[in-house]
Amino acid sequence: MCEGTDIADDSARWRSGDPERDFPMSRCATCATVFVDPVPPADVLNAAYPDDFYGRRRSDTERIEEWFLSRRLRLCGPIAGRSVLDVGSGDGKFLRRAVAAGAIRVSGVEPSENGRRLAAGASIPSVADVDDLEADDRYDLVTLWQVFEHVPDPRRLGRALVDRLSPGGRLLLSLPNVESFEAERFGADWFHLDVPRHLVFPPSRTLRTVFEELGVRHVETVSFSAEYGPFGLMQSALNRIGNRHNALYHRLKRKQPLSAYDGRGKAEVVFGLAALPVLGTASVVGAAALARRGRAGTYTAIFQRPAA
């Protein structure tokens, strides 16, 4: 992130003992960014995104996701009459809500061919890379919802995002907080670790410094996320007692059948579902308390490009 060269091995902090989830990790002594080092080869990264990564969700979780999308829109401010670019747009669900809220033009950037196909089916245009957008395209709002951490060259992407902002336009980035209580307490069991899909974990102060250097003004950093905070805290704790990383998450969101789990995995999922009312309530309270201290599992940084 800071292009520093004082790098230390940080692998031990994140090691789980599972060779499929353990990758060499480094920490920058200058800016405290943690990152996968080296970046895994293309075949490993591609295998982490199966064809059904943006498949149809469970009907019950779809309703919850719609509520989460409404929360995202509230963070963005007024949408009506604005142009919106969503980077990591997946199947276009956020941009569909932006259109419904009055956005006059929307575009997505999504590397997954399957994600772009699903978005096109909903009349949401998307391209594979920021560089594939029309050269003169500028947007009033650019969003990245848990996407920036997936990118092997985040500083390059940051420059490209700032260049795509209209004068006065806003940039929102939501990403894992490597300085959170969860990351510190749970290490390899941290829900938001998710390597090798997640490659870089900059602290919020580092992200702010880098983007201010790129020419935008920091507006606000929001620590609490109803979408990511409570469930992330709960799943991190469940990961500590289970043996399949993020088992409940995959059961709820990816519709993985119980037959896909071994005995201990099934027990974890059944326990998680049965205890959901109690664990969920405790996690909401815990996530809110951690957010007040800047120690929640994620954060959303909001920037604005100066008006012409």
Side-chain angles (χ1 to χ4, degrees):
M1 289 293 293
C2 70
E3 300 180 321
T5 57
D6 188 0
I7 306 299
D9 180 39
D10 203 38
S11 301
R13 180 184 176 194
W14 311 104
R15 189 170 292 120
S16 69
D18 180 351
E20 294 187 2
R21 291 198 292 116
D22 288 345
F23 292 83
M25 305 281 285
S26 293
R27 175 184 293 271
C28 176
T30 303
C31 71
T33 296
V34 174
F35 55 100
V36 180
D37 183 25
V39 174
D43 60 330
V44 174
L45 294 180
N46 290 338
Y49 297 92
D51 290 340
D52 63 350
F53 195 72
Y54 296 112
R56 183 170 176 79
R57 308 291 196 261
R58 293 165 52 100
S59 59
D60 50 352
T61 57
E62 281 181 344
R63 290 191 293 272
I64 297 172
E65 285 186 304
E66 286 300 312
W67 183 76
F68 287 152
L69 291 175
S70 69
R71 301 284 297 184
R72 292 184 185 184
L73 287 174
R74 288 179 60 182
L75 276 178
C76 295
I79 295 290
R82 306 179 78 188
S83 54
V84 182
L85 173 67
D86 187 32
V87 179
S89 52
D91 55 11
K93 60 186 177 183
F94 173 73
L95 291 175
R96 292 198 298 270
R97 286 298 298 264
V99 170
I104 57 173
R105 179 169 61 94
V106 299
S107 299
V109 173
E110 175 51 54
S112 163
E113 183 177 352
N114 188 44
R116 296 196 304 273
R117 178 181 58 79
L118 291 169
S123 301
I124 300 297
S126 57
V127 296
D129 189 89
V130 174
D131 293 339
D132 295 330
L133 296 165
E134 294 294 329
D136 58 350
D137 277 353
R138 297 294 181 273
Y139 298 87
D140 302 314
L141 175 67
V142 177
T143 59
L144 295 89
W145 306 104
Q146 299 291 307
V147 169
F148 197 68
E149 66 272 16
H150 291 251
V151 180
D153 190 351
R155 198 175 181 97
R156 171 186 170 275
L157 176 61
R159 282 191 290 267
L161 296 176
V162 171
D163 288 344
R164 292 293 173 175
L165 278 175
S166 302
R170 284 200 167 191
L171 169 66
L172 278 76
L173 304 99
S174 177
L175 61 163
N177 180 10
V178 75
E179 296 186 331
S180 65
F181 166 82
E182 294 166 49
E184 179 182 295
R185 176 67 178 83
F186 296 106
D189 293 320
W190 180 32
F191 172 63
H192 295 288
L193 183 61
D194 200 26
V195 291
R197 282 183 286 267
H198 293 176
L199 298 171
V200 60
F201 302 87
S204 61
R205 65 182 183 280
T206 298
L207 193 81
R208 174 176 177 171
T209 297
V210 167
F211 275 91
E212 287 180 336
E213 290 173 355
L214 293 173
V216 290
R217 177 178 63 86
H218 177 255
V219 176
E220 183 182 10
T221 295
V222 179
S223 294
F224 181 74
S225 168
E227 181 173 359
Y228 301 113
F231 187 85
L233 183 59
M234 179 176 65
Q235 182 65 80
S236 295
L238 287 172
N239 285 343
R240 181 56 58 90
I241 65 173
N243 66 340
R244 179 168 183 175
H245 195 62
N246 297 341
L248 181 61
Y249 170 81
H250 290 293
R251 171 61 179 164
L252 290 173
K253 193 169 184 180
R254 304 295 176 200
K255 301 188 300 183
Q256 288 187 348
L258 279 177
S259 59
Y261 299 85
D262 61 16
R264 188 173 171 184
K266 290 177 183 177
E268 178 188 350
V269 170
V270 171
F271 171 77
L273 291 172
L276 197 56
V278 175
L279 291 177
T281 301
S283 296
V284 169
V285 174
L290 290 169
R292 286 195 292 270
R293 298 165 52 197
R295 302 286 311 278
T298 67
Y299 65 88
T300 300
I302 304 174
F303 300 93
Q304 185 167 19
R305 183 166 185 169

